[in-house]
Amino acid sequence: MNTTTAGAAPQTQDLGNIKRLPILISLIIGAFFSILNETLLNIAFLPLTVELGVSYPTIQWLSTGYLLVVGILVPVTALLVQWFTTRQMFLGAMVLFAIGTLVCALAPGFEMLLIGRLIQAMGTGLMLPVMMNTILVLYPPEKRGAAMGSMGLVIMFAPAIGPTLSGLILEHLDWRWLFYLVLPFAIFSIVFAAIYLKNVSTITRPKVDVLSIILSTIGFGGIVFGFSSAGKSGEFTSPEVYLSMIAGAIALTLFIWRQLRSETPMLDFRAFRFPMFAISTVLLIIAMMSMFATMMLLPIYLQGALVLSTFAAGLLLLPGSVLNGFLAPITGKLFDKFGPRALVIPGALLLFVVTFLFSRISLETTQSTLVLYHILLMVAISMIMMPTQTNGLNQLPRRYYPHGTAILNTLQQVAGAIGVALFISIMNAGQESYLADHATSLPANAAALALNTGVKQAFTVALVFAGAAVVISLFIKRTQAPVEP
């Protein structure tokens, strides 16, 4: 099943005279608006069901389909970045994203809007690993923290601010402006990158293993789809959920087995032989599960239990989201100076404490207290995410860069889907249990009390993961990339 083209000699790049800052700015501009779209549309789902005449489960395909395409494409980028130059990958990703944005803005109905979202997702899926791989090539290990921190501002801040920004737009403008306002920035990113972005990657043109691509697509796609579907309903018993998960698990097992046997794997899981990379992966999965679950649970709680409007709930979560984004470059610089332990261990401890506080909330908990808890949670996430990711990637030899970045980005997408599905299902079970226990004498605010019970139970389970993060963080240590053979 291997397809080989003429084996051209690797095309290496001389990085001595390349200006790093314009390249970094190019990446930040493009990545911010592509990642922003992961959550920008979510708050518009309800009005879209009315305007487009579709059901709520149908409209959620605009989110599920987006995550699904990103989850499928990211693993393949480990191969693509070895076939195409940095400019080709980045510009191709941004052109796809811009085309998808235009299609969404002009969509006459749901079907065309979904097609536009899927095209947007193709651009985002190609963007994420290219962004990190470029930083790994451009910056030596002792300077990567600050650069990765700048990327962290994008990765953390963009999806977090999406609901608040879209709520503000939708209060005054039609939903199409969610795309009209993004399109000029996407075009500007293409023009800016065409002028300033230079090629930094090494083109090796490895063999294309078609079977591996198929197994990867079914494996990661099935798992992301299954958990995303479960996350919408909080139920794992639906055939579309467990059948897609089973198919995904089988295909993923076969995919990993094939990669480990291949001399030129599409996605090289031998990167897990490096202990700090393996530890970093587990920590990042826990951090992403915590962040995505909180981004889902808190808006539900603020609107359902505290009866706030969507826009008001978004505003309450804005301080923590903004702080999280702006802390990323700071934690990156601190990582360069002090190493990972000074940040990751306190960050994991703070995550544990804040998760415990969330597991004790009640209807009497004030809005300002919830804002404070959310801010502390976002501080903890910022102390864990970028330092952990940078430290893990620093241990990899250069030939593993495309594989390491693709693995981390893929697993973060999967972790987000798992976190949402797991904690939403726990929340729903807690609500149903409360209502069943009080069926004979339901208080006037039974719905709010039931939701409070479910959210507390979800954060109680999250506390177990936070405790695991504390234990794992104790084993982290500063790394340096080994000398290439």
Side-chain angles (χ1 to χ4, degrees):
M1 295 292 293
N2 287 348
T3 306
T4 314
T5 60
Q11 302 172 16
T12 59
Q13 301 293 331
D14 180 13
L15 305 179
N17 297 320
I18 285 182
K19 295 180 179 179
R20 296 170 180 160
L21 185 59
I23 296 177
L24 188 61
I25 293 174
S26 299
L27 297 173
I28 288 175
I29 294 173
F32 181 85
F33 288 99
S34 60
I35 298 174
L36 175 69
N37 271 265
E38 286 193 8
T39 57
L40 187 65
L41 200 60
N42 291 5
I43 206 169
F45 283 173
L46 198 56
L48 280 175
T49 59
V50 177
E51 181 156 348
L52 300 180
V54 296
S55 65
Y56 197 78
T58 300
I59 207 71
Q60 283 187 303
W61 266 101
L62 297 176
S63 175
T64 302
Y66 198 98
L67 290 174
L68 187 62
V69 171
V70 172
I72 289 172
L73 266 185
V74 170
V76 182
T77 59
L79 174 68
L80 295 178
V81 296
Q82 299 175 79
W83 268 86
F84 300 100
T85 67
T86 311
R87 283 173 57 84
Q88 289 170 336
M89 286 290 292
F90 183 88
L91 291 174
M94 286 309 302
V95 167
L96 279 172
F97 179 77
I99 291 173
T101 303
L102 180 62
V103 170
C104 288
L106 301 176
F110 171 77
E111 292 78 8
M112 191 58 65
L113 180 59
L114 177 60
I115 291 172
R117 284 288 284 175
L118 298 182
I119 297 173
Q120 275 188 323
M122 292 172 65
T124 302
L126 294 173
M127 170 77 63
L128 294 173
V130 171
M131 179 176 66
M132 290 188 181
N133 187 61
T134 302
I135 289 177
L136 291 175
V137 173
L138 275 180
Y139 291 86
E142 64 274 9
K143 294 183 179 179
R144 281 180 194 153
M148 291 290 279
S150 299
M151 289 293 104
L153 189 153
V154 170
I155 295 172
M156 298 293 114
F157 182 53
I161 200 177
T164 305
L165 182 61
S166 59
L168 180 62
I169 294 171
L170 290 173
E171 278 213 345
H172 303 283
L173 299 169
D174 180 76
W175 64 267
R176 296 179 187 276
W177 283 94
L178 294 173
F179 303 103
Y180 284 135
L181 293 176
V182 168
L183 186 59
F185 292 99
I187 295 172
F188 173 78
S189 174
I190 294 170
V191 175
F192 189 92
I195 297 172
Y196 292 106
L197 187 62
K198 307 297 181 184
N199 293 326
V200 300
S201 58
T202 299
I203 307 302
T204 57
R205 292 191 171 88
K207 294 178 180 179
V208 178
D209 187 350
V210 177
L211 180 57
S212 288
I213 294 176
I214 295 173
L215 290 173
S216 170
T217 300
I218 297 173
F220 290 111
I223 289 174
V224 171
F225 174 76
F227 277 106
S228 295
S229 299
K232 289 187 293 186
S233 62
E235 297 289 343
F236 286 86
T237 54
S238 168
E240 75 170 2
V241 172
Y242 64 75
L243 288 178
S244 62
M245 287 183 184
I246 292 172
I250 293 172
L252 187 57
T253 301
L254 293 173
F255 173 69
I256 294 173
W257 175 77
R258 186 171 179 84
Q259 303 316 294
L260 293 175
R261 288 175 57 88
S262 173
E263 293 183 2
T264 56
M266 184 184 95
L267 194 61
D268 199 340
F269 289 94
R270 297 178 186 90
F272 284 106
R273 294 184 303 182
F274 299 92
M276 287 304 107
F277 178 80
I279 288 175
S280 297
T281 302
V282 177
L283 272 175
L284 287 172
I285 287 174
I286 293 175
M288 286 298 291
M289 288 178 65
S290 300
M291 188 177 76
F292 270 71
T294 304
M295 287 170 61
M296 181 66 69
L297 289 174
L298 278 185
I300 292 174
Y301 184 77
L302 291 171
Q303 295 173 72
L306 303 187
V307 200
L308 297 178
S309 68
T310 302
F311 184 56
L315 283 179
L316 284 181
L317 300 179
L318 186 60
S321 302
V322 171
L323 182 62
N324 176 259
F326 284 102
L327 275 179
I330 297 173
T331 56
K333 292 180 180 178
L334 291 174
F335 168 83
D336 287 336
K337 186 173 183 179
F338 299 108
R341 291 179 64 85
L343 292 164
V344 177
I345 294 176
L349 288 169
L350 181 58
L351 177 65
F352 182 83
V353 171
V354 177
T355 306
F356 172 80
L357 293 174
F358 270 123
S359 70
R360 295 295 183 269
I361 60 175
S362 69
L363 297 182
E364 285 70 44
T365 304
T366 63
Q367 295 178 18
S368 58
T369 301
L370 291 174
V371 171
L372 176 61
Y373 288 175
H374 183 248
I375 288 174
L376 293 175
L377 179 70
M378 291 296 101
V379 171
I381 294 294
S382 68
M383 294 175 72
I384 295 172
M385 287 290 292
M386 282 300 118
T388 299
Q389 186 164 266
T390 307
N391 193 64
L393 292 171
N394 276 353
Q395 194 178 30
L396 299 180
R398 179 165 174 164
R399 68 181 183 276
Y400 282 103
Y401 287 172
H403 304 281
T405 55
I407 288 171
L408 290 184
N409 279 289
T410 301
L411 292 182
Q412 286 180 46
Q413 294 291 328
V414 173
I418 292 174
V420 169
L422 175 63
F423 294 120
I424 290 294
S425 64
I426 295 170
M427 182 193 73
N428 286 345
Q431 286 180 279
E432 292 172 2
S433 176
Y434 176 89
L435 294 174
D437 292 342
H438 298 78
T440 56
S441 58
L442 283 176
N445 59 343
L449 288 170
L451 180 57
N452 182 77
T453 300
V455 170
K456 286 171 63 176
Q457 289 185 9
F459 277 112
T460 300
V461 174
L463 192 62
V464 177
F465 291 96
V470 173
V471 174
I472 295 169
S473 70
L474 299 176
F475 294 92
I476 202 166
K477 60 183 180 179
R478 185 185 281 248
T479 59
Q480 293 292 336
V483 178
E484 293 279 0

